[in-house]
Structures are given as structure tokens and as C-alpha cells.
DNA sequence: AGCCAGGACAAGT
DNA sequence: ACTTGTCATGGC
């Protein structure tokens, strides 16, 4: 008998949208409609149906891993309603209700967003998939862990050639070396103010402001981190020439996720 | 076929 | 301090 745990879904929660809105790159939907992905060394299958969430694990594992990963205990209803003070955010949130910010593992987040630079999402997913298949461990048939920094810091650019990551290969290696050696200290980034993380992460070659902000938001849970990619820059130029509205203060990163997805996908921009 | 992609870097003003 | 060309690769 396979393990299963069910729980009532929060009122504001869209699993599929959250796992496929450009913050994580490895989740796939299977033939039963369950979202499947690897966290650490475990394959998780999550399904949202009729206001309920089901997981292929026990309650203890849900509490120790997925509760935090899915940002389960944050009150998104109250938070997003506070965004309604701004008309554009109200439109974005209303159209794509239920997007949440994931709390992913820092190294995977950093590495993934290094790969993301000047790249498109389908191709980012392909490179990351090849990275895991080439250097991760096969934890179940066809499913691989994300290779840790220690595993990658011994690699050369030629070793990474099968990924077809282009000029980013050397950046991945520099990140692996600085993280594995502790020159970039994840524990200290985690426990420090966001300004420390901003300075620390850009010591890595290939990590600029945008990649650093993504890592701080999705990997270190810094809600105020504000990644400005080409889409968010468009939004800022078009709708917020004087900066983000006051109602997002302290949660700019979360507001950013709605704006990013809205600007890319809404029919109202086509 | 050509433009663009969840950018960063180096060289040039 | 700001602007511009360049970097691999391939999706659309």
C-alpha cells in the first residue's frame, strides 16, 4: 500500500500554477494529473482536486519538507487582498489567483537561475534536466536528484558540454567552487539581512543583480527580494514609472511573481 | 529566417 | 556612472 496523505487545500492555492510559473523548472504533470518533482533525494507527487491536496508521503514528511516548500502556512488570502489597493496588481492577482512563492533549496535555485540568464524557459528546463541526468543520482527510475555543489566543483567546462548550456557552463563551475568551499556562505545568507546576501551572491561569476534576487527570493525566502527580468522591466516602465506601490512593501518579491506571470501570459497584453 | 529569451561582463564613452 | 557589443543555444 502506497503512502498517502491528504489535507484540505488553503483557500488561495493553485498547485499547478505555482509549480509552473517560472520559479521552479523541474515539475511535470503525470497522466493522473499529479504534479511530480524531486526535492532533495525524494520524488514527490502532489495532486490538487476538489479543494483537497494529496501527497505521496506521510504527514510527518509533509510537515518536515512540503509544508515549508509550498509556503503552506502563509496567509495568501490576506496578503493578496492587501495588494488590491493597486489596480494593476488587483488585475494580476485576480487573473492568476493562487500563485505562491516556493521555498526551494538554495543551491538548486542559484544554479537554476544562473542557467536562466538570457535564456527562455523551455530551454532552461532542458538544460537543468540534462544537468540532473548527467550528474545527479537516480533516486527512482527516470528521476534524478539535483547535483550538489561538491559534485560539480570538480567539473571542467568540457565535462558540462553535454548540457549545451553555452557560455553559462563556466558560471556554474565558479558557483559550485565558491559554494562548496564556503567562500559564499549559505548559512550566513540565510540568517542575515538581505543586503548581506546581495553582496555575497554577486561574488560569483555570472551572478548579477537579477540572478541574486531570484536566489534570495526562491532559495532563501527573502520576500522583499525583487528580480527584474525583461518582463518585469516592461511592467515597471509601462505601469510603475515611480516604483512599486506602497501596498507591496516588504513583499515585493511576491507581488513581482504575479506581475511577471501576468505580463507574460495575460491576453490583456496581446 | 530572424528575433528573442526570468542577464552578466567587459570595454568603451 | 551610464551605454553598447558580445556571449551559446535553440524556441517560436
Amino acid at each position: 500500500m502506497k503512502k498517502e496523505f491528504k489535507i484540505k487545500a488553503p483557500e488561495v492555492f493553485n498547485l499547478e500554477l505555482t509549480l509552473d510559473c517560472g520559479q521552479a523548472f523541474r515539475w511535470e504533470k503525470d497522466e493522473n494529473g499529479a504534479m511530480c518533482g524531486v526535492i532533495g533525494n525524494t520524488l514527490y507527487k502532489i495532486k490538487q482536486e476538489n479543494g483537497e491536496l494529496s501527497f505521496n508521503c506521510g504527514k510527518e514528511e509533509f510537515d518536515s519538507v512540503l509544508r515549508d516548500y509550498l509556503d503552506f502556512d502563509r496567509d495568501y488570502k490576506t496578503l493578496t487582498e492587501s495588494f488590491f489597493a493597486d489596480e494593476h496588481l488587483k488585475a494580476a492577482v485576480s487573473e492568476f489567483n493562487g500563485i505562491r512563492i516556493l521555498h526551494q533549496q538554495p543551491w538548486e535555485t542559484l544554479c537554476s537561475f544562473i542557467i536562466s540568464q538570457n535564456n527562455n524557459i523551455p530551454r532552461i528546463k532542458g538544460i537543468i534536466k540534462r544537468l540532473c541526468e548527467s550528474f545527479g543520482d537516480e533516486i527512482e527510475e527516470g528521476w534524478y536528484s539535483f547535483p550538489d555543489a561538491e559534485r560539480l566543483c570538480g567539473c571542467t567546462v568540457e565535462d558540462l558540454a553535454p548540457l549545451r548550456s553555452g557560455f553559462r557552463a563556466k558560471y556554474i563551475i565558479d558557483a559550485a567552487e565558491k559554494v562548496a568551499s564556503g567562500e559564499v556562505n549559505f548559512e550566513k545568507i540565510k540568517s542575515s539581512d538581505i543586503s548581506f546576501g546581495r553582496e555575497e551572491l554577486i561574488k560569483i561569476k555570472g551572478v548579477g543583480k537579477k540572478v541574486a534576487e531570484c536566489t534570495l527570493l526562491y532559495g532563501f525566502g527573502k520576500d522583499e527580494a525583487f528580480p527584474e527580468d525583461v518582463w518585469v522591466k516592461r511592467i515597471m516602465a509601462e505601469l510603475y514609472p515611480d516604483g512599486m506601490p506602497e501596498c507591496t512593501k516588504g513583499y515585493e518579491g511576491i507581488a513581482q511573481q504575479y506581475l511577471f506571470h501576468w505580463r507574460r501570459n495575460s491576453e490583456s497584453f496581446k
Side-chain angles (χ1 to χ4, degrees):
Chain A
M1 180 70 184
K2 288 196 321 190
K3 272 196 283 188
E4 187 179 35
F5 172 66
K6 293 192 174 195
I7 194 169
K8 184 180 184 301
E11 187 177 343
V12 175
F13 192 108
N14 187 322
L15 178 70
E16 194 174 334
L17 198 48
T18 296
L19 296 176
D20 197 24
C21 67
Q23 53 177 325
F25 303 98
R26 297 220 286 155
W27 290 90
E28 299 174 18
K29 197 199 299 196
D30 72 6
E31 62 280 4
N32 299 318
M35 298 300 289
C36 306
V38 176
I39 304 171
N41 291 309
T42 308
L43 171 63
Y44 290 99
K45 300 188 177 186
I46 315 172
K47 188 170 181 180
Q48 180 173 24
E49 198 172 26
N50 302 325
E52 207 171 45
L53 290 163
S54 63
F55 307 90
N56 65 332
C57 64
K59 181 181 189 319
E60 311 70 33
E61 198 171 347
F62 168 79
D63 283 333
S64 64
V65 179
L66 294 169
R67 180 176 286 280
D68 177 57
Y69 186 89
L70 297 170
D71 204 11
F72 201 80
D73 295 320
R74 190 194 300 273
D75 182 356
Y76 275 83
K77 180 169 165 55
T78 300
L79 177 62
T80 54
E81 279 175 0
S82 74
F83 291 163
F84 285 8
D86 175 78
E87 55 169 327
H88 306 119
L89 265 166
K90 184 172 185 178
V93 169
S94 300
E95 186 169 348
F96 296 106
N97 197 29
I99 290 180
R100 307 169 79 85
I101 296 295
L102 298 169
H103 289 164
Q104 304 180 65
Q105 300 191 155
W107 166 249
E108 175 170 347
T109 308
L110 171 62
C111 202
S112 296
F113 280 95
I114 286 173
I115 290 166
S116 80
Q117 67 177 260
N118 196 31
N119 211 341
N120 57 66
I121 290 178
R123 191 165 166 265
I124 294 165
K125 290 180 177 177
I127 293 170
I128 292 173
K129 189 177 178 64
R130 292 189 287 278
L131 174 66
C132 295
E133 289 173 355
S134 303
F135 300 98
D137 300 319
E138 187 169 29
I139 56 172
E140 287 198 36
E141 59 291 340
W143 294 93
Y144 296 80
S145 65
F146 195 96
D148 59 26
E150 288 73 17
R151 174 73 182 87
L152 294 177
C153 68
C155 290
T156 64
V157 169
E158 300 80 65
D159 294 331
L160 298 189
L163 308 184
R164 304 199 299 278
S165 61
F167 61 87
R168 305 165 190 83
K170 56 184 177 292
Y171 298 156
I172 295 170
I173 293 168
D174 190 63
E177 287 173 349
K178 289 195 167 76
V179 170
S181 71
E183 184 176 343
V184 169
N185 187 335
F186 276 4
E187 290 311 314
K188 196 168 172 191
I189 293 174
K190 206 173 299 180
S191 61
S192 302
D193 185 85
I194 190 170
S195 58
F196 175 79
R198 283 175 170 148
E199 293 178 10
E200 190 80 345
L201 289 170
I202 61 175
K203 296 198 298 195
I204 298 164
K205 279 178 227 158
V207 177
K209 198 157 188 304
K210 158 64 169 63
V211 173
E213 295 297 304
C214 284
T215 306
L216 290 165
L217 178 61
Y218 309 122
F220 288 98
K222 307 292 187 189
D223 300 331
E224 70 273 42
F226 190 67
E228 289 189 74
D229 77 315
V230 296
W231 297 99
V232 175
K233 280 177 181 165
R234 278 171 198 150
I235 281 280
M236 298 307 288
E238 293 162 355
L239 304 178
Y240 303 109
D242 300 321
M244 286 289 277
E246 184 68 21
C247 63
T248 65
K249 199 159 191 60
Y251 301 95
E252 290 86 350
I254 300 178
Q256 171 272 154
Q257 197 63 28
Y258 288 93
L259 295 174
F260 167 75
H261 193 75
W262 184 52
R263 185 63 181 79
R264 283 191 74 215
N265 297 293
S266 176
E267 289 298 325
S268 57
F269 288 98
K270 294 173 181 170

